[in-house]
Amino acid sequence: MITIPEPLKSKSEVSDLKKRLDWGEPALTIIDVRDREAFNHSHITGAVSLPMDELVPRALNNFELIRDIYVYGATEKETALAVSKLRLAGYQNVAELVGGLKAWKASGYPVEGQSLTVA
């Protein structure tokens, strides 16, 4: 029996996101707001790079305001700022990914990039 994951929470654990990905729900986006160099080095599999200075304009051009979005940055503070910017732009379903990439890697979940070491 397949368990349906919980709905998006304002602060989501990496396990919450992984459950949704494993369930196969396509209607979500993972945004990495770190700079491109950090993104290219290593990122959550399937994440898109929208550095902070490009975040809102590119998000508005690419994602519906009702889309479920998980966000992570280099720090919890950067993640919270990005989520705040997206909410101010009108996005309704945005979650801070608690622990970001470091927590994702520590859980052994898949990553992409030039290096697979924990940064």
Side-chain angles (χ1 to χ4, degrees):
M1 182 170 128
I2 297 174
T3 304
I4 298 173
E6 294 180 30
L8 182 87
K9 298 179 245 178
S10 62
K11 288 192 177 201
S12 293
E13 300 293 327
V14 295
S15 59
D16 297 330
L17 173 56
K18 183 70 165 87
K19 285 176 192 169
R20 283 195 66 187
L21 292 170
D22 288 347
W23 183 53
E25 183 172 335
L28 67 87
T29 297
I30 307 164
I31 296 177
D32 182 328
V33 296
R34 300 172 305 142
D35 65 48
R36 289 229 198 299
E37 184 177 336
F39 178 84
N40 290 339
H41 183 70
S42 183
H43 58 271
I44 293 173
T45 298
V48 295
S49 176
L50 295 183
M52 194 69 80
D53 60 341
E54 304 171 14
L55 176 63
V56 172
R58 287 192 53 212
L60 289 170
N61 283 333
N62 291 289
F63 311 118
E64 296 175 342
L65 294 175
I66 58 168
R67 185 155 190 89
D68 284 1
I69 298 175
Y70 291 83
V71 179
Y72 69 95
T75 65
E76 298 296 326
K77 185 176 180 179
E78 182 179 57
T79 300
L81 177 61
V83 166
S84 176
K85 286 183 173 196
L86 288 170
R87 287 186 181 138
L88 284 171
Y91 285 92
Q92 302 167 23
N93 306 316
V94 184
E96 294 177 41
L97 191 58
V98 177
L101 181 61
K102 188 173 184 178
W104 185 264
K105 286 181 176 182
S107 295
Y109 299 149
V111 294
E112 298 174 319
Q114 298 167 350
S115 172
L116 301 182
T117 59
V118 176

